[in-house]
Amino acid sequence: MAAAITAADTPTGPISGHLPHELGCRTNIIEMTGRWSVVVGLGGAGAAVIVWASNLTMLQRLTEPAKPWRDEWAENNTYWARDLRWTVLVAVVAGLVLAFRGDRWRSAGAWLAVGGLIGVDLAVDRYDLAGLPAAGWLSAAVCALLFLGWLLTRPGSAPDRVSLILAASVAAATAPLAAGIESPSETDPAALDAAALVTGVLLVVMAFGCAVAAAPRRSPRRLAVAGAAAVAASGAVALRVVETGPQILLYVAAGGLLLAGVAAVVCPWKPGTAIAAIGMLVGHPVLSTALLLFFAIGWPLGPEFTRIAGNPPVNAADTDLIIVPVGILSGLILGALLAAISRVGQPVDTPRTEEPATV
């Protein structure tokens, strides 16, 4: 008598050809990513949209010369409001990926949607839409569109750990960058400190949420480690409002620690956890520094976006740097490494199951 196994045995399809521990990972990711992922994901994305719209319509005026401008030049970090609101868009992506439970196609759609928001950002900046009513209408419209997109696509969502790991890593790598944004005067206004704090904390929360959703097992010890890393990173971000200036080395260390916390949750086998955590702690500062130099010297993106937005160019002696590509690329690279490590080896946290016997 043969044991018949069909596609109905698992929510994601037939299980033939998969390793036992892969089946356990799939089953547990489906069990764990329930309503909480939708609430946290959509809530975080909505909060990030509100921060973005408020920044665009209320803080942008603090960072650029009044129009019409003639023969005026910007300086290093003049456009700190743009840096912060483009950074908080990463939290929008991570929140949507979490709400979609990592479904690959819908996660890709989330990235495209946020790319469209950058286009909206440039248009609103160029035409100087400003004021509290504008912030309210803009945030309400974008939140409604994102929620409608989730409603229309959620019936076909299929949980996927890789997309969640990538989103967690990008959010973790970007969080300390938000805390390190300065103003050109080197005396940061209260608005910058508050916006940097909110942006950094939102990214930490989204990184932790995506990591928990990608966890193959509900292990209290692993979740405690990740929670401790998230609290430590949030504490480092919170120092922004009490220190006289940004502590770059501390923020970079906080990013590596947060990535190590993500690794502690998503890797199902203990040797892999140690390897991944060390790789995140060492790889994050090295990769971030290399990418920062690349975008500052080799391929500066800021001048073109400044021109599209109709703002004064940065003085040739200074640098028009957009920092969010540093966090996105470093997060994607480290996240891909983390996803690969998490798939190697037999997990020790889950009991080994045997293939059904055929008589």
Side-chain angles (χ1 to χ4, degrees), residues 285-300 319 321 326:
V286 173
L287 191 57
S288 296
T289 302
L291 288 171
L292 189 65
L293 293 175
F294 174 73
F295 284 110
I297 301 174
W299 189 26
T319 302
L321 177 65
V326 176

Side-chain angles (χ1 to χ4, degrees), residues 79-120:
Y79 300 115
W80 55 262
R82 177 188 64 186
D83 289 343
L84 276 173
R85 65 177 181 265
W86 286 18
T87 303
V88 82
L89 288 179
V90 173
V92 177
V93 174
L96 292 175
V97 172
L98 179 57
F100 287 133
R101 301 186 300 169
D103 178 88
R104 291 188 181 184
W105 289 107
R106 290 159 186 81
S107 297
W111 283 99
L112 292 177
V114 171
L117 285 182
I118 292 179
V120 172

Side-chain angles (χ1 to χ4, degrees), residues 2 18 55 60 128 191 243 263 276 304 351:
H18 294 284
N55 185 320
Q60 178 63 27
D128 294 324
E243 294 288 343
E304 185 61 23

Side-chain angles (χ1 to χ4, degrees), residues 215-239:
R217 280 289 181 185
R218 192 187 298 271
S219 169
R221 182 181 299 176
R222 290 175 179 271
L223 295 182
V225 171
V231 169
S234 298
V237 172
L239 288 177

